[in-house]
Each structure stands twice: as C-alpha cells, then as structure tokens.
Amino acid sequence: MTKVKPVILGLGNPLFQDEGLGIHLIHQLIQEEINDRADLIDGGTDALSLLGIVEEAQYLLIIDAVNAGQPGGTILYIDGQDIPLLMSDKMSVHQIGFQEVLTLASLRGRLPCHMALIGVQLQSLDWGTELSPPVASTLTTVKEMVYAQIDSWAALISADL
Amino acid sequence: MAQRIVVDPITRIEGHLRIEAEVNRGRIINAFSSGTAFRGIERIMQGRDPRQAWAVVQRICGVCTHIHAIASVQAVEDALGITIPKNAFLIRNIMTAVQFVQDHVVHFYHLHALDWVDVMSALKADPLAASIMAGCISSYPKSSPGYFADVQKTIQGLVNSGQLGIFANGYWGHPAYKLPPEMNLIAMAHYLEALDWQKDVVRIHTIFGGKNPHPNYLVGGMACAINMDNDNTINMERLNLVAREIDKAIDFVNQVYLPDLFAIASFYKDWAYGGGVKNYLVYGTLDNQREKNKQQDVFPGGVILNRNLKEVFDVDLRDPVQLKEFVDHSWYEYSGEQGGRHPWKGETTVKYSGPKPPYTQLDTDNKYSWIKTPLWKGKPMEVGPLARMLVGYARGNEVIKTSVDEALKRLGLGKEALFSALGRTLARGLETKIMVDYLKKNYEELLANIKAGDSRVFEGAKWEPSSWPKQAKGVGFTEAPRGALGHWIKIENGQISLYQAVVPTTWNAAPRGNQGQKGPYEAALIGTPMADPDKPLEILRIIHSFDPCIACAAHIIDLKSRQDIGSCEFY
C-alpha cells in the first residue's frame, strides 16, 4: 500500500548540534499549515525502523545534515535517483544508516517513485541541542524549499487523480 | 613479534568502536577496546525540567530510544516517590518486551548472521535441497523450492548489479564459515523475511506511544488514554491489533528465528571462543520497580563471579561502594578525590590526551577511550542476554533454567559452552523466546485489568514541582536488550542538577580498570585463533556477539568521500 500524501522525513540527532537539523526543522513544520498537506516524521537515527515509512511513501522528501566538504550552512538539493545506495562493514546495528534502508527498499522493489533530499552542510557536531549559527540561518530557506517541493508534488498528484 | 591489527570500521567521523588486537602465531594475545564517542549527555541535562528529561535522553541512542526513556522516567519517579498505575506499568513492559524481541531478531539477521552465514555460498545452493532442509528444521510455511529460487535470484541480481551494498564488505569465502550452501540460503531468505516482520511488530509502540519512532512517555505513567468507547484512545480495536502483532511475533520467533539459530549453531559447536571476563551482572527488570534481586522476576537481578553458578550476589545501585566508574584509562579527569565514583557523584570533565587523528595506534598504557570503566566491587562485568540467562539460572528461575537446559541438551553441549560468543548468541535467542511469551502474558493482564474497569494510566499527585522536595535523588534501572541500564538523577529546586547514565555498552566495551583489569570485549578476544589477520572475521564475530551499542547516535550524510560508487555516503 502506498500513500499519495507526501512524506517529509527529518533525520538526525538533536543532541549533536547540527546533526539535529532535520529534527529541528520537522518540529517547526509540524506547527505550520504544511502539517495538513504532508506527513511529517521525526525519523531520529533508527534507520531500520524507517523502512516501513520509506516503502509506504510515494512521495518522500528527506531532510538531513550532510557532510559535503562545503562551508557550514551550504544547502544541497539532491534528486531521488542521485541518492546513492551504499552499505558498508558494520560493528553495530546502530550503524545501519538511512542509505542502507534505501538499498533494502530498492532490493525489495519498493523505493518511492518520487524522492528528494535537502541537505545542509554541517559545521559542528559537538554535544549541544542548539544548531550552529551558519546552519541555523538556513532554516528559512530550507523551509521555502520544502514548501516548493510539496507544491510541485501536489501538482503532480492532482494531475494523477 | 606480535602484530597489531586494528578494526576501526569508520574512522571518518567520531563516535565508533575501535579494537586493537595483538596477534602472535595466528592467535590474539592482547586486545584493547576504545569507544571514540564522547558521551556529553550529562552536560546537556543540567538545569532542565526532570519531567522532560526522557525526551532528551532517549536520543542517547538512536535505536534504544524506548528503554532510555523508561530508565529516565523511572529515575524521576524514584526520586519523587511516584508509584505508577498498573496499566501504565503493564504498557511499559509490553513496549519493553517488543523492543527486546524486535532488537534481538534484527541483531541476529541483519548484523550478526553475516559473521556465520556466507552470502556468496548461498548462490551455490540447490533450492530443492534448501526446501527439504528448511522443512526439516521448521514448519514455517514459506519453504518451497520456488521460494528459495526467488531469493537466490534476488541475491544474484544484487551481486550482478555491482551494488553489493549490504554484502559488499563481508569476508566471503573465509575459512571460518562452515555452513552448507543450503543453510546459507535459508538464512538469507529469512534475512529478507525479518525485514518485513520487524516493520510490523513496532506498530505496538505506535499504538501505545502515539507514534514511532520516538513514542511519547510520561513521568507518572503513560500518555495514552484508555477508553473502549473512544476512537481516539486505546480501545478494543487497537488492542486487537496489538494481539495480532504479538501472535505474529510469537510465530516468527518460534518458526524462523529459533530454528535458524539452532541449525546454524549446530555447525559451529566447536567454535568455543569469545568467553570474556567471567563475571556477569544483571540489574533486573520489569516485574517490580524497586526490588530487583528476586528469583521469580522475568530477569532476576544479581552478580555471578568467576562463572560460579552456585552463588549469586545482590545488586544495590544506591550503594556508593558497589558500583563505581573509573577514568584511569578514559579521557576524563575527576576533581578532588581520585579513584572510582558512584554515578550520584559522577563527573564528566574531558581531558583528552590521546594521539591527534588520524593515528595508527592508541597509547594503551595510558588513557585510550571515551568510555569510562564501570566496576562492581572492583570487578569488570559482562552485561546482556548471557548475563541474564546465567544469573537467572543461578537464581533458580524455572523458566530460564528449563530454557537453558533444553537448549544445551538439544545441541549436545555442556554448560561450559555458554561462556563463548556462541553462548552469548544462543542466550539472546533464548531470552527472545522468554520475552515474546512475557509480551503475551502482559497483554493478557492489561486486557483483564481494563475489562475489570481500571482505565488509569497516570498518577498526577506529584506532577507539579511545588509538590516536590527541595532536593531529591533517584535511580532508574532496567534491562535493555544489550544489558543492564541505569540512569541516576539529582533534582534541586525543580531542576536537574546531576544526570549520569551507565549504559550496557559502557560495561561491555570498557577499557582497562584502575588495576589493569581487562574489559569484557578485551578479555573475550584473547586466545582466539585468526585464520587471516587481514580478514578479522573472528574479531567481528566476538564483538558482534555482545551486540555493541556504539556509534548509535550520529547520523550524517557524507558527500565528501566520493568513493568508488561515485557519489555520497550516509552514516
């Protein structure tokens, strides 16, 4: 069963400053009107538990902190098919990352048809529940991108119906 | 001359486990375990509202969120003298049992299995022979030759695509793999089945916690209202859904997990390595909140020393003498009085003296880990499923005793076989069975209690800080899937003034103690033969058998290391 309502999935851990970007953003969006138009999910870091959410989504927007060797606060948009699938050697189940979940979904032929990632280059991973200033300053722009993405998917969805 | 091998799977970000092992004449003669993640939770917690602590500390670990939240609310309830209503207690137990069962199955298939199961060998299996073999080990309905041929095709497709992904870095073909191709294929089929199953069972958390991941918790009870006539609360329809998921979990454990575990174990009976420190610690869990050294508890608390199952010592986590954390080999310093610290006097002041990364070797004579060394009466302790089965056995707990005796008989092994990596893996399976039955029992009790007219889930008499003493301290302790878990809290003027968590992996992955005592991982590795030091499968097997909870909480996408796959990497 796939669902037509887009899913916005924030990933990360709010205990490590910028690692919490996706989570901070989701909790802000939950207070806004977009909450009616999309399912907003605080995905945390337990990637495997997100397999069901990924596989049931038809439209999936992922928000996460990224490390792209860019200056802190650089925003990246990656379209679905450009998100590579990779798994590496594991010492712990906890290292089953979100990308592995995408691999597993793909292995089972259940990747969402429409998928995108909005990432923000992190600056600090120290313990702390606040975002670093350069990353915090991207929130408004990232939110605009989220709205734009959901609007463009809404057009696709209504065309489908 | 000993050769030092380092297993440090992800050196690119902080927060992982690193093992340095010295190998001489093909055998490990010394080992060091270093957690490279600084746990700074204590700093973050100061000054916060104790009632909100669970929401923060549950993120200590991305996977064990539930049990950290439980330890936290229990610590606050202990400090403030709150007794929660029966329904809340049963619901928490149901959620904990779900976490155990889901976590253990996922650990077995999606992490540990590949240390014993050779994926590539599965491609050589004859699907018909696999079907016959599967029929012999279990009544699980999915076992036709066509089913196994399809699984083989899926794996072959993955291999052909060049995106081996999950299976890219295995030591396939390693001489330590002993399973016939058909058994490898059966295990791989169930690897895929387990993915579906684990997705469903966590729905129970969604029902009681409102959402998953990250359900809601509440100091004083649970946040889910019970009303059989209301669509938006816990009602009969939702309880029926819980019952269905529980029955599915029981079937999966009985028909898939346990048969596979026994079948695989039967091929590795002579692999008796990975024993460890010989001391085992259980805080105890579930059946009652405060007295945890009881024989009849699902997991009785207690300590066993030197593998002596004839004597069990009681554990008291409030006793400032029993449990202490040392930093002789950890990158912290204590102010004032030196030596060990009970968590209520705990300090987390960083003093990094290690080499500047990237480095090839740690200074293992001095400080070499971000993990502290907890000791019980000066002794390192193994925690987790094996500890729970051993302490339960030694306490004379009937369910555990029967379960262990029957398993050993079935495999034709003596008790000494338990003290190994295989014993740990077996113990995890046995307790999964105990927990899935316990899950059902708690559900039935909950249902009976609700039907008898009790719908209370929250005790609110001490919710307002004005009702609290000026100063209070408490400890919340339980068993997490990976072992004994404790959260210690001090509350002053309505705010947290001290918060310390000693997590299972702190016990198991600890560096040397103040007198050079080896930690459980370290001790477990020594004496293990290695077929090929460049392919340290044996080390992974032993470390994985503990189910490490390390590197759990960071999750970053790395777009920088554009390796062979040409784009980016998630952690």
Side-chain angles (χ1 to χ4, degrees), chain A residues 13 19 42 44-46 55 64-67 84 86-87 89-92 94-95 98-99 108 122 127 129, chain B residues 9 38 40 48 59 61-62 165-166 169 196 199 214 482 544 548 552-553 555 557-560 568-570:
Chain A
N13 190 331
E19 233 294 86
D42 169 352
T45 54
D46 183 5
E55 291 189 343
D64 199 358
V66 300
N67 186 12
L86 176 92
M87 300 226 190
D89 205 7
K90 295 288 169 287
M91 287 297 271
S92 161
H94 303 246
Q95 285 168 255
F98 187 68
Q99 198 163 12
R108 292 147 50 83
L122 53 91
W127 279 83
T129 48
Chain B
F38 163 53
R48 286 183 189 264
R59 312 256 182 177
C61 168
I166 345 165
N169 289 317
D196 263 329
K199 254 174 28 181
H214 309 116
R482 288 159 190 80
H544 281 161
C552 38
H555 182 274
I557 300 171
D558 197 332
L559 298 165
K560 200 170 55 182
C568 70
E569 233 178 288
F570 290 61

Side-chain angles (χ1 to χ4, degrees), chain B residues 154-320:
Chain B
T154 303
I155 304 169
Q156 188 68 59
L158 197 71
V159 172
N160 293 348
S161 75
Q163 274 211 336
L164 253 186
I166 345 165
F167 312 126
N169 289 317
Y171 301 118
W172 315 128
H174 193 288
Y177 284 115
K178 301 289 184 206
L179 301 181
E182 285 71 27
M183 191 62 231
N184 284 316
L185 181 58
I186 293 169
M188 288 314 296
H190 297 161
Y191 176 110
L192 298 171
E193 293 295 338
L195 285 175
D196 263 329
W197 171 81
Q198 63 91 27
K199 254 174 28 181
D200 293 342
V201 70
V202 292
R203 289 196 184 138
I204 298 176
H205 277 199
T206 314
I207 288 168
F208 290 119
K211 59 196 171 76
N212 196 63
H214 309 116
N216 288 312
Y217 298 88
L218 184 63
V219 167
M222 283 302 291
C224 53
I226 297 173
N227 183 342
M228 293 306 204
D229 304 320
N230 188 324
D231 285 348
N232 298 314
T233 61
I234 302 296
N235 52 33
M236 208 52 233
E237 188 193 340
R238 291 188 192 182
L239 287 170
N240 285 336
L241 190 63
V242 171
R244 278 200 298 278
E245 291 303 336
I246 291 174
D247 288 339
K248 271 164 64 185
I250 291 172
D251 284 348
F252 194 87
V253 170
N254 288 337
Q255 295 184 8
V256 185
Y257 178 21
L258 289 181
D260 283 354
L261 175 64
F262 278 99
I264 292 171
S266 68
F267 288 95
Y268 287 101
K269 285 196 284 193
D270 56 348
W271 210 82
Y273 305 103
V277 292
K278 303 184 181 177
N279 306 319
Y280 301 88
L281 166 68
V282 180
Y283 292 168
T285 189
L286 301 172
D287 295 277
N288 54 68
Q289 272 172 288
R290 293 192 174 83
E291 291 296 317
K292 299 219 177 193
N293 294 300
K294 298 281 183 283
Q295 183 192 65
Q296 66 274 22
D297 284 357
V298 61
F299 297 135
V303 163
I304 288 172
L305 297 179
N306 206 27
R307 297 183 182 167
N308 177 9
L309 299 184
K310 297 204 168 67
E311 192 171 20
V312 192
F313 300 90
D314 283 355
V315 175
D316 181 0
L317 298 180
R318 294 161 211 281
D319 181 346

Side-chain angles (χ1 to χ4, degrees), chain A residues 114-130:
Chain A
H114 306 272
M115 192 163 65
L117 165 87
I118 301 174
V120 177
Q121 171 68 45
L122 53 91
Q123 166 139 326
S124 169
L125 281 180
D126 282 344
W127 279 83
T129 48
E130 305 288 318

Side-chain angles (χ1 to χ4, degrees), chain B residues 349-536:
Chain B
T349 308
V350 170
K351 191 188 183 188
Y352 185 71
S353 57
K356 207 177 153 210
Y359 47 79
T360 54
Q361 197 170 321
L362 290 162
D363 178 10
T364 47
D365 290 337
N366 295 299
K367 290 174 186 267
Y368 62 91
S369 182
W370 286 111
I371 295 177
K372 295 177 183 175
T373 306
L375 299 175
W376 185 83
K377 293 193 176 174
K379 293 184 167 58
M381 294 282 148
E382 174 174 339
V383 299
L386 179 57
R388 288 189 283 258
M389 292 301 102
L390 292 174
V391 170
Y393 195 100
R395 287 256 185 229
N397 177 294
E398 279 308 321
V399 175
I400 292 175
K401 228 171 155 288
T402 310
S403 167
V404 171
D405 284 338
E406 279 179 5
L408 291 174
K409 195 172 155 203
R410 192 165 154 189
L411 288 166
L413 293 168
K415 277 205 233 5
E416 70 288 345
L418 293 170
F419 305 113
S420 67
L422 195 64
R424 222 168 266 125
T425 301
L426 181 66
R428 187 170 294 110
L430 299 182
E431 79 166 20
T432 307
K433 164 78 177 145
I434 292 171
M435 274 312 236
V436 85
D437 292 342
Y438 183 74
L439 177 56
K440 177 103 177 169
K441 175 174 160 268
N442 272 271
Y443 170 79
E444 283 166 354
E445 262 184 65
L446 176 68
L447 200 62
N449 199 48
I450 295 171
K451 283 186 172 164
D454 181 2
S455 60
R456 276 183 76 234
V457 286
F458 174 59
E459 168 52 61
K462 290 186 181 161
W463 177 253
E464 290 305 326
S466 56
S467 67
W468 302 351
K470 216 168 146 19
Q471 288 185 327
K473 63 179 180 181
V475 54
F477 56 96
T478 183
E479 291 289 318
R482 288 159 190 80
L485 172 68
H487 285 207
W488 283 259
I489 193 171
K490 280 188 179 175
I491 302 168
E492 276 179 51
N493 302 318
Q495 293 183 340
I496 295 172
S497 64
L498 175 139
Y499 206 101
Q500 291 278 330
V502 182
V503 306
T505 302
T506 317
W507 287 101
N508 287 337
R512 299 288 201 266
N514 58 323
Q515 292 171 331
Q517 308 95 313
K518 295 180 188 72
Y521 288 2
E522 299 178 331
L525 289 169
I526 292 173
T528 307
M530 298 205 44
D532 178 356
D534 291 333
K535 294 178 180 162

